[in-house]
Amino acid sequence: MNEKNITSSQPTDVLFALTQVLEARKASADSTSSYVASLHQKGLNKILEKVGEEATEVILAAKDAQSSGDKTEVIAEVADLLFHSMVMLSHLDTDITPVLDELARRFDVSGLVEKASRKA
Ligand SMILES: N=c1c2ncn([C@@H]3O[C@H](COP(=O)(O)OP(=O)(O)OP(=O)(O)O)[C@@H](O)[C@H]3O)c2ncn1[C@@H]1O[C@H](COP(=O)(O)O)[C@@H](O)[C@H]1O
């Protein structure tokens, strides 16, 4: 792969499929059978509470992974964080596509160079 040619940001298959499911669930009123619909019904504050909880769980699981060498839990927690972040984006009427666009825009620009350009 030519790293310099990364310009498009189509979500991977699973992110694309999940984005579509999340969009469909937002329109669904059935919060008894859908966890995502229940989050939308509870509102942004509940979704943000979950994002915060999952971020904390990622930190704890990463520390455990470092000491035990077992990365199973940290992988599951990062998936939970990404999932709840995607629900948050959906609640705000957007999705992960512009996030991937932003990563593509930043691709191959050193973080240190970018930081220096902000100070100029
Ligand atoms: N990827 C996920 C996914 N990842 C995590 N979760 C749920 O997120 C919740 C995380 O909860 P916690 O670990 O905090 O545990 P909890 O104690 O149950 O949570 P709370 O009671 O505090 O809300 C669990 O209920 C998980 O099942 C997910 N729920 C749904 N999806 C996807 O979303 C789709 C739609 O889901 P539904 O809307 O439920 O049909 C599914 O088909 C999946 O593809």
Side-chain angles (χ1 to χ4, degrees):
M1 178 173 64
N2 181 350
E3 295 186 347
K4 304 261 182 200
N5 282 344
I6 294 185
T7 53
S8 96
S9 60
Q10 287 307 302
T12 62
D13 288 351
V14 68
L15 291 179
F16 182 66
L18 183 55
T19 295
Q20 290 186 315
V21 171
L22 296 183
E23 202 49 38
R25 291 295 195 272
K26 199 164 65 160
S28 153
D30 193 359
S31 59
T32 55
S33 63
S34 161
Y35 175 68
V36 174
S38 79
L39 284 177
H40 285 301
Q41 198 166 66
K42 287 172 186 164
L44 183 62
N45 284 351
K46 177 64 185 179
I47 297 169
L48 296 178
E49 187 185 305
K50 294 303 295 178
V51 170
E53 259 177 51
E54 302 303 348
T56 303
E57 285 168 17
V58 166
I59 292 167
L60 297 175
K63 295 296 283 182
D64 286 348
Q66 189 177 43
S67 46
S68 71
D70 183 354
K71 297 172 187 69
T72 312
E73 200 57 33
V74 71
I75 289 166
E77 296 300 350
V78 170
D80 279 352
L81 177 59
L82 181 55
F83 164 73
H84 284 91
S85 298
M86 289 176 71
V87 174
M88 175 194 69
L89 290 167
S90 171
H91 197 79
L92 296 173
D93 294 326
T94 183
D95 62 37
I96 200 159
T97 308
V99 177
L100 296 177
D101 285 342
E102 179 62 15
L103 287 175
R105 189 190 64 77
R106 294 178 191 178
F107 196 81
D108 216 26
V109 177
S110 157
L112 297 177
V113 171
E114 186 279 331
K115 194 168 183 174
S117 75
R118 271 190 272 145
K119 288 179 184 156

